[in-house]
Amino acid sequence: MSNVSLTALVRCCDRLLRTDEFSDWDGAANGLQMENRGAVTRIAAAVDASPATLRLAVGIGADLMIVHHGLFWSPSHPWTGKRHELLRLLIENDVAVYSSHVPLDAHPRLGNNARLCAALGFKRLKPFFFEKGRFIGYKAATRLKRQELAGRLGQALDAAPKLLPGGPEICRRIGVVTGGAGGELRKAAREGVDTFITGEGPHWTFALAEELGVNVFYGGHYATETFGVKALAAHLSKLFKIPWTFIDHPSGL
């Protein structure tokens, strides 16, 4: 079995994703969040670093977990109770955790938004959705019936999306931002799209979509963000000749 340096893998990820160049939400802590003893033989990829996904990673013998939503989103101390169990699980099984949030959303080849656009067959993409000092999504000029787009999205996500039909029957300017961007629907509309694809959003966006004249597709926060970790893990597997596994633990949200 191949044995790769954790340091080399982290350096590759940081360079590829340009981790140091990104701002993010407080607590995201992009990069290596937990180290192991220094060697990697198998990668596990998951959307979320949770006790359930980490136990599954341990079960397949992974010693590096690549995630989109990492261990730190709020004050992470004291390390007692369930937090202590999580820390002990990582240390006792020598599992490192590498997390990439906005950098993995925005990557032009491996990112969540780029890969979802590719799955939908969109070409000639343009930057879209300015957030945290840069564009993190993509938009495409096309001509698709709304129901055809719903079908494509359902096939890409393996689940039917929720449609807020506030816009035209024919979608011509489609914007894509995976995850929880529904609350920023007004921003998406200001950037000139008539159809907005994201993961989830609040109840009041139904009325706002009608007011703005924009179609909104909610494909699920989890479902729209499986693409990036899979693409990154596959890239590292090919580069470093080590196996990888996607750990599917859907939230249904």
Coordinates of all heavy atoms in Angstrom, one line a residue, residues 66-118:
I66 N -11.1 14.5 3.8 CA -11.3 15.7 3.1 C -12.8 16.1 3.2 O -13.6 15.3 2.8 CB -10.8 15.6 1.7 CG1 -9.3 15.5 1.7 CG2 -11.2 16.9 0.9 CD1 -8.7 15.3 0.3
V67 N -13.1 17.3 3.7 CA -14.4 17.7 3.9 C -14.7 19.1 3.4 O -13.7 19.9 3.3 CB -14.9 17.6 5.4 CG1 -14.8 16.2 5.9 CG2 -14.0 18.5 6.3
H68 N -15.9 19.4 3.2 CA -16.3 20.8 2.8 C -16.7 21.6 4.0 O -16.4 22.8 4.2 CB -17.5 20.8 1.8 CG -17.9 22.1 1.3 ND1 -17.0 23.0 0.7 CD2 -19.1 22.7 1.2 CE1 -17.6 24.1 0.3 NE2 -18.9 23.9 0.6
H69 N -17.4 21.0 4.9 CA -17.8 21.6 6.2 C -17.0 20.9 7.3 O -17.2 19.8 7.6 CB -19.3 21.4 6.5 CG -20.2 22.0 5.4 ND1 -21.3 21.3 4.9 CD2 -20.2 23.1 4.8 CE1 -21.9 22.0 4.0 NE2 -21.2 23.1 3.9
G70 N -16.0 21.7 7.9 CA -15.1 21.1 8.8 C -15.5 21.0 10.2 O -16.7 21.1 10.6
L71 N -14.5 20.9 11.1 CA -14.8 20.7 12.5 C -15.2 22.0 13.3 O -15.7 22.0 14.4 CB -13.5 20.2 13.2 CG -13.1 18.8 12.7 CD1 -11.6 18.5 13.2 CD2 -14.0 17.7 13.2
F72 N -14.8 23.2 12.7 CA -14.9 24.4 13.4 C -15.9 25.4 12.8 O -15.6 25.9 11.7 CB -13.6 25.1 13.6 CG -12.5 24.1 14.1 CD1 -11.5 23.7 13.3 CD2 -12.6 23.6 15.4 CE1 -10.5 22.8 13.8 CE2 -11.7 22.7 15.9 CZ -10.6 22.3 15.1
W73 N -17.0 25.7 13.4 CA -18.0 26.7 12.9 C -18.5 27.6 14.0 O -19.2 28.5 13.8 CB -19.2 26.0 12.2 CG -18.8 25.3 11.0 CD1 -18.5 24.0 10.8 CD2 -18.6 25.9 9.7 NE1 -18.1 23.7 9.5 CE2 -18.2 24.9 8.8 CE3 -18.7 27.2 9.2 CZ2 -17.9 25.2 7.4 CZ3 -18.5 27.5 7.9 CH2 -18.1 26.4 7.0
S74 N -18.1 27.3 15.2 CA -18.5 28.0 16.4 C -17.4 27.8 17.4 O -16.5 27.0 17.2 CB -19.9 27.6 16.9 OG -19.9 26.2 17.2
P75 N -17.5 28.5 18.5 CA -16.5 28.3 19.6 C -16.4 26.8 19.9 O -17.4 26.1 20.2 CB -17.0 29.1 20.8 CG -17.8 30.2 20.2 CD -18.4 29.6 18.9
S76 N -15.2 26.2 19.8 CA -15.0 24.8 19.9 C -14.4 24.3 21.2 O -13.7 23.3 21.2 CB -14.1 24.3 18.7 OG -12.9 25.0 18.7
H77 N -14.6 25.0 22.2 CA -14.1 24.6 23.5 C -15.2 24.8 24.5 O -16.2 25.6 24.3 CB -12.9 25.5 23.9 CG -13.2 27.0 23.9 ND1 -13.9 27.6 24.9 CD2 -12.9 27.9 22.9 CE1 -14.0 28.9 24.5 NE2 -13.4 29.1 23.4
P78 N -15.3 24.1 25.6 CA -14.2 23.1 26.1 C -14.3 21.8 25.3 O -15.4 21.5 24.8 CB -14.5 23.0 27.6 CG -16.0 23.2 27.7 CD -16.3 24.2 26.6
W79 N -13.2 21.0 25.3 CA -13.2 19.7 24.7 C -13.7 18.7 25.7 O -13.0 17.9 26.3 CB -11.8 19.4 24.2 CG -11.5 20.1 23.0 CD1 -10.8 21.4 23.0 CD2 -11.7 19.8 21.6 NE1 -10.7 21.8 21.7 CE2 -11.2 20.8 20.8 CE3 -12.3 18.7 21.0 CZ2 -11.3 20.8 19.4 CZ3 -12.4 18.7 19.7 CH2 -11.9 19.7 18.9
T80 N -15.1 18.7 25.9 CA -15.7 17.8 26.9 C -16.9 17.1 26.2 O -17.3 17.5 25.1 CB -16.2 18.5 28.1 OG1 -17.1 19.6 27.7 CG2 -15.1 19.2 28.9
G81 N -17.4 16.1 26.8 CA -18.6 15.4 26.3 C -18.4 14.9 24.8 O -17.4 14.2 24.5
K82 N -19.3 15.3 24.0 CA -19.2 14.8 22.6 C -18.0 15.3 21.8 O -17.5 14.7 20.9 CB -20.5 15.2 21.8 CG -21.8 14.5 22.3 CD -21.6 13.0 22.1 CE -22.9 12.2 22.5 NZ -22.8 10.8 22.3
R83 N -17.6 16.6 22.2 CA -16.4 17.1 21.5 C -15.2 16.3 21.9 O -14.3 16.1 21.1 CB -16.2 18.6 21.9 CG -17.3 19.5 21.5 CD -17.4 19.6 20.0 NE -16.3 20.2 19.4 CZ -16.1 20.4 18.1 NH1 -17.1 20.0 17.2 NH2 -15.0 21.0 17.6
H84 N -15.1 15.9 23.1 CA -14.0 15.0 23.6 C -14.0 13.7 22.9 O -13.0 13.2 22.4 CB -14.0 14.8 25.1 CG -12.9 13.9 25.6 ND1 -13.1 12.6 25.9 CD2 -11.6 14.1 25.7 CE1 -12.0 12.0 26.3 NE2 -11.0 12.9 26.1
E85 N -15.2 13.1 22.7 CA -15.3 11.8 22.0 C -14.8 12.0 20.5 O -14.2 11.1 20.0 CB -16.8 11.4 22.0 CG -17.3 10.9 23.3 CD -18.8 10.5 23.2 OE1 -19.2 10.1 22.1 OE2 -19.4 10.4 24.3
L86 N -15.2 13.1 19.9 CA -14.7 13.3 18.5 C -13.2 13.5 18.5 O -12.6 12.8 17.6 CB -15.4 14.6 18.0 CG -15.1 15.0 16.6 CD1 -15.7 14.0 15.6 CD2 -15.8 16.4 16.3
L87 N -12.6 14.2 19.4 CA -11.2 14.4 19.4 C -10.5 13.0 19.6 O -9.5 12.7 19.0 CB -10.8 15.4 20.5 CG -9.3 15.7 20.6 CD1 -8.7 16.3 19.4 CD2 -9.1 16.6 21.8
R88 N -11.0 12.3 20.6 CA -10.4 10.9 20.9 C -10.5 10.0 19.7 O -9.6 9.3 19.4 CB -11.1 10.3 22.1 CG -10.4 9.1 22.6 CD -11.1 8.6 23.9 NE -12.5 8.3 23.7 CZ -13.4 8.2 24.7 NH1 -13.1 8.5 25.9 NH2 -14.6 7.8 24.4
L89 N -11.6 10.0 19.0 CA -11.8 9.2 17.8 C -10.7 9.5 16.8 O -10.1 8.6 16.2 CB -13.2 9.5 17.2 CG -13.5 8.7 15.9 CD1 -13.7 7.2 16.2 CD2 -14.8 9.3 15.3
L90 N -10.5 10.8 16.5 CA -9.5 11.2 15.6 C -8.1 10.8 16.0 O -7.3 10.2 15.2 CB -9.5 12.7 15.3 CG -10.8 13.3 14.7 CD1 -10.8 14.8 14.8 CD2 -10.8 12.8 13.2
I91 N -7.7 11.0 17.2 CA -6.4 10.7 17.7 C -6.1 9.2 17.8 O -5.1 8.7 17.3 CB -6.1 11.4 19.1 CG1 -6.1 12.9 18.9 CG2 -4.8 10.9 19.7 CD1 -6.0 13.7 20.2
E92 N -7.1 8.5 18.4 CA -6.9 7.1 18.5 C -6.8 6.3 17.2 O -6.1 5.3 17.1 CB -8.0 6.5 19.4 CG -7.9 6.9 20.9 CD -9.0 6.3 21.7 OE1 -10.0 5.7 21.1 OE2 -9.0 6.4 22.9
N93 N -7.4 6.9 16.2 CA -7.4 6.2 14.9 C -6.5 6.9 13.9 O -6.5 6.6 12.7 CB -8.8 6.1 14.3 CG -9.7 5.2 15.1 OD1 -9.6 4.0 15.0 ND2 -10.5 5.7 16.0
D94 N -5.7 7.9 14.3 CA -4.7 8.6 13.6 C -5.3 9.2 12.2 O -4.8 9.0 11.2 CB -3.6 7.6 13.2 CG -2.3 8.4 12.8 OD1 -2.1 9.5 13.3 OD2 -1.6 7.8 12.0
V95 N -6.4 9.9 12.4 CA -7.1 10.5 11.2 C -6.9 12.0 11.2 O -7.1 12.7 12.2 CB -8.6 10.2 11.2 CG1 -9.3 10.8 10.0 CG2 -8.9 8.7 11.3
A96 N -6.4 12.5 10.0 CA -6.2 13.9 9.8 C -7.5 14.4 9.1 O -8.2 13.7 8.4 CB -5.0 14.2 9.0
V97 N -7.8 15.7 9.3 CA -8.9 16.3 8.7 C -8.5 17.6 7.9 O -7.9 18.5 8.5 CB -10.0 16.7 9.7 CG1 -11.2 17.4 9.0 CG2 -10.5 15.5 10.5
Y98 N -8.8 17.6 6.6 CA -8.5 18.8 5.8 C -9.9 19.3 5.3 O -10.7 18.6 4.7 CB -7.7 18.4 4.6 CG -7.2 19.7 3.8 CD1 -6.0 20.3 4.0 CD2 -8.1 20.2 2.8 CE1 -5.6 21.4 3.3 CE2 -7.7 21.3 2.1 CZ -6.5 21.9 2.4 OH -6.1 23.0 1.6
S99 N -10.1 20.6 5.6 CA -11.4 21.2 5.2 C -11.2 22.4 4.2 O -10.3 23.1 4.4 CB -12.1 21.7 6.5 OG -13.3 22.4 6.2
S100 N -12.1 22.5 3.3 CA -12.0 23.6 2.3 C -13.5 24.0 2.0 O -14.2 23.2 1.4 CB -11.3 23.2 1.0 OG -11.2 24.3 0.2
H101 N -13.8 25.2 2.4 CA -15.2 25.7 2.3 C -15.2 26.6 1.0 O -15.4 26.1 -0.1 CB -15.6 26.4 3.6 CG -17.0 26.8 3.6 ND1 -17.4 28.1 3.8 CD2 -18.1 26.1 3.4 CE1 -18.8 28.1 3.8 NE2 -19.2 26.9 3.5
V102 N -15.1 27.9 1.2 CA -15.2 28.8 0.0 C -14.2 28.5 -1.0 O -14.5 28.5 -2.2 CB -15.1 30.3 0.5 CG1 -15.0 31.2 -0.7 CG2 -16.4 30.7 1.2
P103 N -12.9 28.2 -0.7 CA -11.9 27.9 -1.8 C -12.4 26.7 -2.6 O -12.2 26.7 -3.9 CB -10.7 27.5 -1.0 CG -10.8 28.3 0.3 CD -12.2 28.2 0.6
L104 N -13.1 25.7 -2.0 CA -13.5 24.6 -2.8 C -14.8 24.9 -3.6 O -15.1 24.4 -4.7 CB -13.7 23.4 -1.9 CG -14.0 22.0 -2.7 CD1 -12.9 21.7 -3.7 CD2 -14.1 20.9 -1.7
D105 N -15.6 25.8 -3.1 CA -16.8 26.3 -3.8 C -16.3 27.0 -5.1 O -16.9 26.8 -6.2 CB -17.6 27.3 -3.0 CG -18.4 26.7 -2.0 OD1 -18.9 25.6 -2.2 OD2 -18.6 27.3 -0.9
A106 N -15.2 27.8 -5.0 CA -14.9 28.7 -6.1 C -13.9 28.1 -7.1 O -13.7 28.7 -8.2 CB -14.2 29.9 -5.5
H107 N -13.3 27.0 -6.8 CA -12.2 26.5 -7.7 C -12.8 26.3 -9.1 O -13.8 25.6 -9.3 CB -11.6 25.1 -7.2 CG -10.4 24.8 -7.9 ND1 -10.3 24.0 -9.1 CD2 -9.1 25.0 -7.6 CE1 -9.1 23.9 -9.5 NE2 -8.3 24.5 -8.6
P108 N -12.1 26.8 -10.2 CA -12.6 26.7 -11.5 C -12.7 25.4 -12.2 O -13.4 25.2 -13.2 CB -11.7 27.7 -12.3 CG -10.4 27.6 -11.5 CD -10.8 27.5 -10.1
R109 N -12.0 24.4 -11.6 CA -12.1 23.0 -12.2 C -12.6 22.0 -11.3 O -13.4 21.1 -11.7 CB -10.6 22.6 -12.6 CG -10.5 21.3 -13.4 CD -9.2 21.2 -14.1 NE -8.1 21.4 -13.1 CZ -7.5 20.4 -12.4 NH1 -8.0 19.2 -12.5 NH2 -6.5 20.6 -11.6
L110 N -12.2 22.0 -10.0 CA -12.6 21.0 -9.0 C -13.8 21.5 -8.1 O -14.3 20.7 -7.3 CB -11.4 20.6 -8.2 CG -10.2 20.1 -8.9 CD1 -9.1 19.8 -7.9 CD2 -10.5 18.9 -9.8
G111 N -14.2 22.7 -8.2 CA -15.1 23.3 -7.2 C -16.5 22.8 -7.4 O -16.9 22.3 -8.4
N112 N -17.3 23.0 -6.3 CA -18.7 22.6 -6.3 C -19.5 23.2 -7.5 O -20.2 22.5 -8.2 CB -19.3 22.9 -5.0 CG -18.9 22.0 -3.8 OD1 -19.0 20.8 -4.0 ND2 -18.6 22.6 -2.7
N113 N -19.3 24.5 -7.6 CA -20.0 25.2 -8.6 C -19.6 24.8 -10.1 O -20.5 24.6 -10.9 CB -19.9 26.7 -8.4 CG -20.5 27.1 -7.1 OD1 -21.7 26.9 -6.8 ND2 -19.7 27.8 -6.3
A114 N -18.3 24.7 -10.3 CA -17.8 24.3 -11.6 C -18.3 22.9 -12.0 O -18.7 22.6 -13.1 CB -16.3 24.4 -11.7
R115 N -18.2 22.0 -11.0 CA -18.6 20.6 -11.3 C -20.1 20.4 -11.5 O -20.6 19.6 -12.3 CB -18.1 19.7 -10.2 CG -16.6 19.6 -9.9 CD -15.8 19.5 -11.2 NE -16.2 18.4 -12.0 CZ -16.0 18.3 -13.3 NH1 -15.4 19.3 -14.0 NH2 -16.4 17.3 -14.0
L116 N -20.9 21.2 -10.7 CA -22.4 21.1 -11.0 C -22.7 21.7 -12.3 O -23.5 21.2 -13.0 CB -23.1 21.9 -9.8 CG -24.6 21.9 -10.0 CD1 -25.2 20.5 -10.2 CD2 -25.3 22.6 -8.8
C117 N -22.1 22.8 -12.7 CA -22.3 23.4 -14.0 C -22.0 22.4 -15.1 O -22.7 22.2 -16.1 CB -21.5 24.7 -14.2 SG -22.2 26.1 -13.4
A118 N -20.8 21.7 -14.9 CA -20.4 20.7 -15.9 C -21.5 19.5 -16.0 O -21.8 19.1 -17.1 CB -19.1 20.1 -15.6

